[in-house]
Amino acid sequence: MERRVTLQDVAERAGTSRTTAHYVLTGRDREMRIGEDTRRRVLRAANELRYRPDLMARGLRTQVTRTIALIADAVASEAYAGDLVAGALAATAARGYLLFVCETGEDAELEEALVEELLARHVDAFLYATYFTRDVVVPAALRDQRVALLNCRAPGLPSVVPDEVGAGRTAAEALLSAGYRDGIWLVGEPAPHVVASVERLRGIEEALTAAGVRAAGTVPCAWWPESAFERFGALLDDGQEPAAVICANDRVAMGVYQALAVRGRRVPDDLAVVSFDDSDLAVWLHPALTSVALPHRELAAIAVDLLLGEGGPPPGEHRVPMPLRRRESVAVRG
Amino acid sequence: MERRVTLQDVAERAGTSRTTAHYVLTGRDREMRIGEDTRRRVLRAANELRYRPDLMARGLRTQVTRTIALIADAVASEAYAGDLVAGALAATAARGYLLFVCETGEDAELEEALVEELLARHVDAFLYATYFTRDVVVPAALRDQRVALLNCRAPGLPSVVPDEVGAGRTAAEALLSAGYRDGIWLVGEPAPHVVASVERLRGIEEALTAAGVRAAGTVPCAWWPESAFERFGALLDDGQEPAAVICANDRVAMGVYQALAVRGRRVPDDLAVVSFDDSDLAVWLHPALTSVALPHRELAAIAVDLLLGEGGPPPGEHRVPMPLRRRESVAVRG
DNA sequence: ATGAAAGCGCTAACAC
DNA sequence: GTGTTAGCGCTTTCAT
């Protein structure tokens, strides 16, 4: 591994000074009125030597590094967080930034330490992310940094979150517009501290009420297949005749499918199903599931745009629409 | 945002020189025989000023940055890659390194450019990862760097991959030891260019042959639920009576479950199912699926250990065992 | 138009 | 035991 080639080397080979070489290599030669052929010599020398500026040295001098930090509570849980990371990655790369990724497991001390470390490395900005939407309190050291919250919220800080109320409306309307009015059940227990739960419910109520419809009831299962399988199965065995269900998420829908399958009932003819998240499951289920998508990549892209945009991110909450992915789990009613 | 506090500031407040401050703050005061009370003063000053060394400046001087780069073809696809990233993250963090994460989408030019960029930032080492196991050709610039391949292989380079042959054996033995001999079908078409396919098949053959058993046949479906649903369903409708299946992966198993459910057949009583990957699906399926796990986090942890270990990673392939996760999809035969 | 020189904050050889 | 000094490679002000 030979010594790095430095600006000095380029300047020497071009028979000029570092300053001159510097200006032509950073493309500011026009403003310095550097001679066309000096310019040529520098460019050629740089090429021949395969000169690459030392970004650490540059960073030390300029105090800007073109790096940003993503601080997330989890990067892989639930198969969701991955898309957040991927989205952030793509968006930062597109702007020529490199991304430090950190995972905190919600450990506040670790968070503080990480922020210190990242500050010591002069990252230009911070993305603070959570794998499910919630309110957070960010480390104090972050408060006077350039920061955007991704999929979470804190008073006074710029944040990007999915429009869960709209999603609730969308889900209900998918059923209403297909002709369902009576026998619409909600599956998945309400969770008062989970933003997604509260807001989806609100959206659903809104849309239903606006159509003069009331939900037939709620199946209070955990947001997992097994629990949904059992509780929704029990509902069926009770002799209830749901016409349609709105599931808390795709995993719940999976449990509903299983409960139906065991009893020989069919989606969508015996029961219409809509859900939230649009995870991989939605297309794996049979028949494929109509689901309101959580646009993780887009959330991340927007957060990065805000973060790196002129003048820094405008404070306040940015709500990103959750689009409906129509598939085969809702039949139009006669 | 006030000026950073520098070593100079600490030294001044402690009434000593930068050198002295430096040695005590880096814990090398013993070797320099620095006065106990000088030591105290320096420590106190640093504390009071909340001194944090500028890691960029240090890096420029020492040429080591305690950063490493993860270059992956994909960081979120298929809900697998996330665990690779999370594993690498945890392992590097545990050693006090920060991780740059990059995604290439298999674009070779982008890869070259990224490596240049990372080199310009003086990352100490590289992790080169793929989201499914395969042979790769790494960018030329990486060849003389400290590098470990994660979930992929290239001649002459250190790599960490899952032991898929062993996994094949494990899957077959799970069935054999439960008393299955006849009517064992393989579900999922062989893919000659996919390491997992070739090696799992080899392991399965080995174990079966050793027990004097032959597979009843192969259902050549794509490795997705829908395809498995159709092709395996067709097998059932053909009047075949499989006793057990080894699925190419959990998604295929999902398709098999669906085909069974529609026909009123039960797992595990009518059919035993084993699979590979042990993804989230395995526990979501009903009944829960016995699957041979792809230990992504462990692969990553081992790769990081090799990479950062004394003397750098030993070249050659490191095979990591794939453990069987026994659940309810295999019943012991009478 | 080009170059000399100072300095970003840290480390380490060397002198006292 | 402690301090002086010379860089790491780059950017930028200021002379020329």
Side-chain angles (χ1 to χ4, degrees):
Chain A
M1 226 182 304
E2 335 70 59
R3 192 179 63 76
R4 275 192 78 82
V5 4
T6 76
L7 190 55
Q8 179 81 266
D9 300 326
V10 175
E12 270 168 21
R13 170 174 270 247
T16 177
S17 74
R18 270 149 69 217
T19 312
T20 305
H22 168 69
Y23 279 113
V24 353
L25 289 176
T26 48
R28 296 193 303 176
D29 52 312
R30 274 291 70 153
E31 83 193 51
M32 282 296 153
R33 290 175 306 180
I34 281 172
E36 179 56 21
D37 101 11
T38 312
R39 203 182 90 88
R40 285 249 169 69
R41 288 200 321 274
V42 170
L43 256 16
R44 186 142 57 80
N47 243 312
E48 290 169 352
L49 296 174
R50 313 205 64 229
Y51 170 70
R52 297 285 175 278
D54 184 316
L55 297 181
M56 204 164 31
R58 173 180 289 171
L60 178 61
R61 188 64 239 249
T62 61
Q63 302 294 61
V64 345
T65 54
R66 295 191 80 81
T67 57
I68 96 162
L70 171 66
I71 301 182
D73 54 354
V75 313
S77 20
E78 317 271 331
Y80 290 137
D83 279 315
L84 237 29
V85 178
L89 214 47
T92 50
R95 285 170 168 270
Y97 282 71
L98 238 36
L99 191 68
F100 278 119
V101 176
C102 306
E103 190 173 33
T104 65
E106 295 186 56
D107 175 334
E109 275 192 42
L110 211 193
E111 270 182 7
E112 298 278 1
L114 273 173
V115 172
E116 291 284 354
E117 166 99 16
L118 290 159
L119 248 17
R121 293 182 189 283
H122 294 270
V123 299
D124 295 338
F126 292 84
L127 230 33
Y128 187 93
T130 54
Y131 79 95
F132 71 93
T133 310
R134 58 188 176 91
D135 294 302
V136 293
V137 6
V138 304
L142 231 47
R143 296 214 134 256
D144 51 8
Q145 299 297 318
R146 182 176 274 225
V147 58
L149 306 197
L150 174 48
N151 204 26
C152 50
R153 317 176 294 193
L157 291 178
S159 74
V160 181
V161 294
D163 178 11
E164 299 279 10
V165 178
R169 259 185 257 117
T170 303
E173 281 159 9
L175 255 20
L176 292 167
S177 70
Y180 295 87
R181 297 185 61 85
D182 300 322
I184 298 182
W185 284 75
L186 275 25
V187 188
E189 66 194 349
H193 299 303
V194 176
V195 174
S197 175
V198 174
E199 299 193 345
R200 287 173 188 180
L201 246 26
R202 180 152 76 238
I204 293 170
E205 286 305 333
E206 277 181 31
L208 255 27
T209 305
V213 169
R214 284 191 50 136
T218 296
V219 179
C221 62
W223 293 24
W224 295 100
E226 174 152 16
S227 179
F229 172 76
E230 277 164 20
R231 308 298 294 262
F232 186 72
L235 180 81
L236 259 18
D237 293 340
D238 256 21
Q240 294 285 358
E241 294 285 349
V245 294
I246 301 179
C247 297
N249 66 21
D250 295 343
R251 298 188 302 266
V252 167
M254 183 176 183
V256 167
Y257 271 52
Q258 292 167 339
L260 256 12
V262 163
R263 291 165 180 79
R265 313 264 207 113
R266 303 272 176 168
V267 174
D269 300 323
D270 300 330
L271 186 86
V273 181
V274 304
S275 170
F276 296 92
D277 291 2
D278 189 38
S279 58
D280 287 337
L281 265 188
V283 344
W284 294 344
L285 253 11
H286 184 83
L289 180 63
T290 290
S291 189
V292 185
L294 220 31
H296 277 137
R297 299 184 101 100
E298 196 186 348
L299 290 187
I302 292 173
V304 170
D305 284 348
L306 292 179
L307 187 64
L308 266 21
E310 277 310 306
E317 208 172 294
H318 299 257
R319 298 217 155 231
V320 181
M322 293 175 58
L324 180 69
R325 307 281 182 230
R326 289 180 195 279
R327 301 205 179 81
E328 288 91 50
S329 62
V330 179
V332 176
R333 254 199 166 176
Chain B
M1 225 182 306
E2 333 73 61
R3 193 178 62 76
R4 276 193 78 82
V5 6
T6 76
L7 191 55
Q8 180 80 265
D9 301 325
V10 175
E12 271 167 23
R13 170 175 270 249
T16 176
S17 74
R18 271 149 67 217
T19 312
T20 305
H22 169 67
Y23 279 113
V24 354
L25 289 175
T26 47
R28 294 191 302 174
D29 51 316
R30 274 291 71 153
E31 83 193 50
M32 280 296 154
R33 292 175 302 178
I34 281 172
E36 179 55 19
D37 102 12
T38 311
R39 203 182 90 87
R40 285 249 169 69
R41 287 200 323 275
V42 170
L43 256 16
R44 187 143 58 80
N47 243 312
E48 290 169 353
L49 297 174
R50 313 205 67 231
Y51 170 68
R52 297 285 175 276
D54 183 317
L55 297 181
M56 204 164 32
R58 174 182 286 173
L60 178 60
R61 187 63 241 249
T62 61
Q63 302 293 60
V64 345
T65 53
R66 296 191 79 81
T67 57
I68 95 162
L70 171 65
I71 302 180
D73 54 354
V75 313
S77 19
E78 316 271 332
Y80 290 137
D83 280 316
L84 237 29
V85 177
L89 214 46
T92 50
R95 286 171 166 270
Y97 282 71
L98 237 37
L99 191 68
F100 278 119
V101 177
C102 307
E103 189 172 33
T104 66
E106 296 186 55
D107 176 334
E109 275 192 41
L110 212 194
E111 270 183 6
E112 299 277 1
L114 273 173
V115 172
E116 290 285 354
E117 168 98 16
L118 291 159
L119 249 16
R121 292 181 191 283
H122 294 271
V123 300
D124 295 338
F126 292 84
L127 230 33
Y128 187 93
T130 53
Y131 79 95
F132 71 93
T133 311
R134 58 188 176 90
D135 294 302
V136 294
V137 6
V138 305
L142 232 45
R143 297 216 132 255
D144 51 8
Q145 299 297 319
R146 182 177 273 226
V147 59
L149 305 197
L150 174 48
N151 204 27
C152 50
R153 317 176 295 195
L157 292 178
S159 75
V160 181
V161 293
D163 179 11
E164 299 279 8
V165 177
R169 258 185 257 117
T170 302
E173 281 159 9
L175 255 20
L176 292 166
S177 71
Y180 295 88
R181 297 184 61 85
D182 301 322
I184 298 181
W185 284 75
L186 274 26
V187 187
E189 66 195 348
H193 300 302
V194 176
V195 174
S197 175
V198 173
E199 298 193 346
R200 286 172 188 181
L201 247 25
R202 181 153 76 238
I204 293 170
E205 285 305 332
E206 276 180 32
L208 256 26
T209 304
V213 169
R214 285 190 50 134
T218 296
V219 179
C221 63
W223 293 25
W224 295 98
E226 174 153 16
S227 180
F229 172 77
E230 277 165 20
R231 308 298 292 263
F232 187 72
L235 180 81
L236 258 19
D237 293 340
D238 255 20
Q240 293 285 358
E241 293 286 349
V245 294
I246 301 179
C247 297
N249 66 20
D250 295 343
R251 296 189 302 266
V252 167
M254 183 177 184
V256 166
Y257 271 51
Q258 292 167 337
L260 256 11
V262 163
R263 290 165 182 80
R265 311 264 207 116
R266 302 272 176 169
V267 175
D269 300 322
D270 299 331
L271 186 86
V273 180
V274 305
S275 171
F276 297 93
D277 290 1
D278 187 39
S279 57
D280 287 336
L281 265 190
V283 345
W284 293 344
L285 254 11
H286 184 82
L289 180 63
T290 291
S291 189
V292 185
L294 222 30
H296 277 138
R297 300 184 101 99
E298 195 186 347
L299 291 186
I302 292 173
V304 170
D305 285 349
L306 293 178
L307 187 63
L308 265 21
E310 277 308 305
E317 207 172 295
H318 299 256
R319 297 215 155 232
V320 181
M322 293 175 59
L324 180 68
R325 307 280 184 232
R326 289 179 196 281
R327 300 204 180 82
E328 287 90 51
S329 63
V330 180
V332 176
R333 253 202 166 171

